[in-house]
Protein backbone atom coordinates (compact mmCIF):
# COMPACT_ATOMS: atom_id res chain seq x y z
CA UNK A 1 0.00 0.00 0.00
CA UNK A 2 2.81 2.43 0.83
CA UNK A 3 4.28 1.74 -2.60
CA UNK A 4 0.99 2.74 -4.24
CA UNK A 5 0.88 5.98 -2.28
CA UNK A 6 4.49 6.70 -3.22
CA UNK A 7 3.75 6.12 -6.91
CA UNK A 8 0.69 8.38 -6.64
CA UNK A 9 2.76 11.14 -5.08
CA UNK A 10 5.43 10.80 -7.79
CA UNK A 11 2.75 10.94 -10.50
CA UNK A 12 1.24 14.06 -8.89
CA UNK A 13 4.63 15.76 -8.74
CA UNK A 14 5.31 14.93 -12.41
CA UNK A 15 1.93 16.36 -13.45
CA UNK A 16 2.57 19.50 -11.40
CA UNK A 17 5.95 20.01 -13.06
CA UNK A 18 4.43 19.49 -16.53
CA UNK A 19 1.69 22.04 -15.79
CA UNK A 20 4.29 24.52 -14.53
CA UNK A 21 6.35 24.12 -17.68
CA UNK A 22 3.27 24.59 -19.86
CA UNK A 23 2.33 27.75 -17.92
CA UNK A 24 5.85 29.11 -18.32
CA UNK A 25 5.82 28.49 -22.06
CA UNK A 26 2.38 30.14 -22.31
CA UNK A 27 3.64 33.22 -20.44
CA UNK A 28 6.70 33.40 -22.69
CA UNK A 29 4.57 33.33 -25.83
CA UNK A 30 2.26 35.96 -24.37
CA UNK A 31 5.24 38.21 -23.58
CA UNK A 32 6.57 37.73 -27.12
CA UNK A 33 3.19 38.69 -28.59
CA UNK A 34 2.96 41.82 -26.44
CA UNK A 35 6.53 42.91 -27.13
CA UNK A 36 6.17 42.34 -30.86
CA UNK A 37 2.90 44.27 -31.00
CA UNK A 38 4.34 47.12 -28.91
CA UNK A 39 7.22 47.34 -31.40
CA UNK A 40 4.99 47.67 -34.45
CA UNK A 41 5.08 44.07 -35.72
CA UNK A 42 1.93 43.18 -37.68
CA UNK A 43 -0.54 40.67 -36.31
CA UNK A 44 0.11 38.40 -39.31
CA UNK A 45 3.86 38.37 -38.62
CA UNK A 46 3.24 37.72 -34.92
CA UNK A 47 1.01 34.80 -35.93
CA UNK A 48 3.71 33.32 -38.15
CA UNK A 49 6.45 33.79 -35.54
CA UNK A 50 4.51 32.38 -32.57
CA UNK A 51 2.43 29.79 -34.39
CA UNK A 52 -0.63 31.01 -32.50
CA UNK A 53 -4.00 31.67 -34.13
CA UNK A 54 -5.04 35.22 -34.98
CA UNK A 55 -7.93 34.78 -32.54
CA UNK A 56 -5.66 33.84 -29.65
CA UNK A 57 -3.29 36.74 -30.40
CA UNK A 58 -6.24 39.15 -30.47
CA UNK A 59 -7.52 37.76 -27.14
CA UNK A 60 -4.09 38.24 -25.52
CA UNK A 61 -3.82 41.79 -26.85
CA UNK A 62 -7.32 42.65 -25.64
CA UNK A 63 -6.74 41.09 -22.23
CA UNK A 64 -3.63 43.27 -21.87
CA UNK A 65 -5.36 46.48 -23.02
CA UNK A 66 -3.55 46.67 -26.34
CA UNK A 67 -6.70 46.36 -28.47
CA UNK A 68 -10.25 47.56 -27.77
Amino acid sequence: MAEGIEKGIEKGIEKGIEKGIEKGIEKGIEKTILNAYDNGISLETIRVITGESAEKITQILQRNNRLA
Side-chain angles (χ1 to χ4, degrees):
M1 186 156 148
E3 190 177 310
I5 292 172
E6 215 171 282
K7 283 195 185 256
I9 290 170
E10 285 178 26
K11 197 77 149 166
I13 290 170
E14 285 177 22
K15 287 212 182 265
I17 290 170
E18 286 175 19
K19 283 227 183 252
I21 291 170
E22 288 174 20
K23 271 274 199 222
I25 290 170
E26 233 0 83
K27 281 288 181 191
I29 290 172
E30 186 170 310
K31 187 173 182 178
T32 299
I33 290 168
L34 295 173
N35 285 338
Y37 183 80
D38 290 346
N39 284 284
I41 306 297
S42 72
L43 296 181
E44 178 61 21
T45 302
I46 295 170
R47 188 188 63 73
V48 170
I49 290 169
T50 62
E52 297 293 342
S53 69
E55 182 179 325
K56 184 168 183 178
I57 292 168
T58 301
Q59 288 173 351
I60 289 170
L61 293 172
Q62 287 173 338
R63 189 171 57 238
N64 288 277
N65 301 316
R66 301 304 203 283
L67 291 177

